[in-house]
Amino acid sequence: MKDGKTAILAIESSCDETAAAVVVDGRQALSNVISSQIEIHKAYGGVVPEIASRHHLDNINPVVEQALCDADTTMDEIDAIAVTCGPGLIGALLIGLATAKAYALATDKPLIGIHHIHGHICANYIAHPDLEPPFMALVISGGHTNIVEVNDYNSCTILGGTRDDAAGEAYDKVARVLGLGYPGGPLIDEIAKKGDPEKVHFKRVYLEKGSYDFSFSGIKTGVLNYINQEQQQGREISVPDVAAGFQEAVLEVVVDKTMDAALSRGEDRIVLAGGVAANSRLRQMLQDRCDEHGLKLYSPPPILCTDNAAMIGCAAHYRYMAGAFDGLDLDGVADLPL
Ligand code: KG4
Ligand code: ZN
């Protein structure tokens, strides 16, 4: 790009959002186009991988063109092409990868593959220009729940993750059981505000002492059992109370473990990332605990919490600066380790 700045065209297609963005110097999103398929997958109560791939294929070229247009940029001004290479739905990842490779080959620009979780964390560099590593991050979304120690722009250590369902997945499943619709996270967030979290108690699952892992698969059964038991007794169920009770059981564990990870490692900053990071109760609980212990909490605005390509462009900037490029043989990996 001109003026000694670096401009990256980034593509994200790991799940049900087809997204492209132009990011300058890792901190400024000149454009951030997101074509969501939520309305299509709503009918099925969740993302159908094959349908997601087909829609990515239809949407990817217009979305990339829109991202360049919104940024008032042409390919001549782009320094590198970044793309999510995993983890995610393999068919969905491959559409983004094929597109990014085609642009890289046709324009002879470097290609940079980005890990989706790393991207989510980097959304915070766009939202908070003063933020620099090291810090503790909680990545909480429909596909992941990880506590990550971010050592540097290009290096992080996962301290723990979910052993079964991701937190967002638990939100979506419980919302379905409660008849709320899809995606369940934002719906539970809203309805729980009208409920009393003390009315219905669900088990908090902490696993072994000192573990930063999570397990959320049991809570859906807990909610189902509670509903069946109440129905058998002829009692009416309060959806707001159940939603609030469920949310409290998930978030209490998440917040406790994140605080423990930060405090035990002497980190004075916590960074939130991923779709569930948009949750109002999670933000409030973590903020209260951070205030109590003198820690600073960073979180992105909702549009940078859920899947987007600006976060991928930001992550790619730091790999670009380190000269960490990928070849055209870059492959998509559904369960790519961080
Ligand atoms: O990061 P994301 O767009 O996709 C993945 O990488 O998984 O996250 C989507 C997830 C969904 O499970 C959705 O229900 C959840 O984020 N989510 C929320 C909220 N907004 C989105 N969960 C709880 N509260 C919210 N406000
Ligand atoms: Zn995501």
Side-chain angles (χ1 to χ4, degrees):
M1 204 190 185
K2 292 191 283 275
D3 311 329
K5 291 185 172 175
T6 305
I8 295 192
L9 170 67
I11 294 172
E12 152 68 41
S13 68
S14 66
C15 191
D16 61 339
E17 263 96 28
T18 320
V22 175
V23 178
V24 170
D25 280 351
R27 297 279 176 165
Q28 191 192 1
L30 293 185
S31 61
N32 190 20
V33 180
I34 304 166
S35 169
S36 173
Q37 303 177 16
I38 283 181
E39 287 307 316
I40 295 156
H41 297 282
K42 238 180 200 169
Y44 307 95
V47 178
V48 183
E50 180 59 22
I51 294 177
S53 307
R54 284 165 193 262
H55 283 276
H56 283 311
L57 197 55
D58 289 341
N59 296 338
I60 193 89
N61 286 327
V63 163
V64 171
E65 277 161 29
Q66 191 66 48
L68 289 167
C69 177
D70 285 1
D72 201 14
T73 309
T74 62
M75 279 309 292
D76 287 347
E77 289 198 86
I78 298 293
D79 296 290
I81 323 289
V83 63
T84 307
C85 55
L89 304 170
I90 191 65
L93 287 167
L94 291 178
I95 309 291
L97 272 154
T99 309
K101 286 184 199 178
Y103 273 101
L105 181 65
T107 59
D108 199 22
K109 310 219 185 226
L111 178 71
I112 303 172
I114 296 296
H115 192 286
H116 185 76
I117 295 182
H118 187 215
H120 270 302
I121 294 169
C122 290
N124 282 278
Y125 296 134
I126 296 174
H128 307 286
D130 60 318
L131 179 66
E132 289 178 2
F135 50 77
M136 193 61 68
L138 169 66
V139 185
I140 182 162
S141 73
H144 326 277
T145 313
N146 292 100
I147 296 178
V148 184
E149 191 164 26
V150 179
N151 314 304
D152 210 331
Y153 284 111
N154 288 322
S155 114
C156 25
T157 314
I158 293 198
L159 301 184
T162 181
R163 293 186 187 170
D164 38 58
D165 291 354
E169 201 177 346
Y171 267 87
D172 293 339
K173 286 181 176 173
V174 166
R176 198 181 314 161
V177 167
L178 292 174
L180 292 175
Y182 174 84
L187 300 167
I188 289 191
D189 191 355
E190 271 316 301
I191 205 159
K193 289 177 187 160
K194 302 186 194 103
D196 179 352
E198 310 278 310
K199 280 269 169 66
V200 191
H201 187 275
F202 296 107
K203 194 171 171 235
R204 276 70 169 149
V205 182
Y206 281 91
L207 303 169
E208 315 82 62
K209 200 171 176 348
S211 168
Y212 293 120
D213 282 349
F214 301 98
S215 170
F216 298 118
S217 65
I219 197 150
K220 190 190 91 173
T221 318
V223 172
L224 266 174
N225 287 346
Y226 170 80
I227 292 173
N228 288 338
Q229 175 200 309
E230 293 300 289
Q231 278 172 345
Q232 272 167 13
Q233 304 289 327
R235 287 194 287 261
E236 201 158 318
I237 293 145
S238 158
V239 173
D241 286 346
V242 178
F246 153 78
Q247 176 162 265
E248 215 66 6
V250 168
L251 297 183
E252 235 173 70
V253 176
V254 165
V255 169
D256 279 349
K257 292 199 181 219
T258 307
M259 288 305 297
D260 186 62
L263 293 172
S264 68
R265 281 168 170 71
E267 300 288 3
D268 58 1
R269 289 165 308 159
I270 292 178
V271 162
L272 262 176
V276 186
N279 184 272
S280 58
R281 181 74 184 129
L282 171 61
R283 287 177 181 229
Q284 181 200 1
M285 285 168 91
L286 254 184
Q287 189 63 62
D288 289 350
R289 294 285 290 279
C290 282
D291 290 348
E292 198 181 310
H293 293 278
L295 271 62
K296 191 158 180 203
L297 177 67
Y298 293 83
S299 49
I303 193 69
L304 291 174
C305 283
T306 42
D307 290 348
N308 66 87
M311 66 187 199
I312 303 302
C314 173
H317 171 76
Y318 295 101
R319 292 189 69 79
Y320 181 88
M321 298 311 279
F325 303 134
D326 291 288
L328 290 174
D329 58 348
L330 176 67
D331 218 348
V333 180
D335 57 353
L336 186 69
L338 191 61

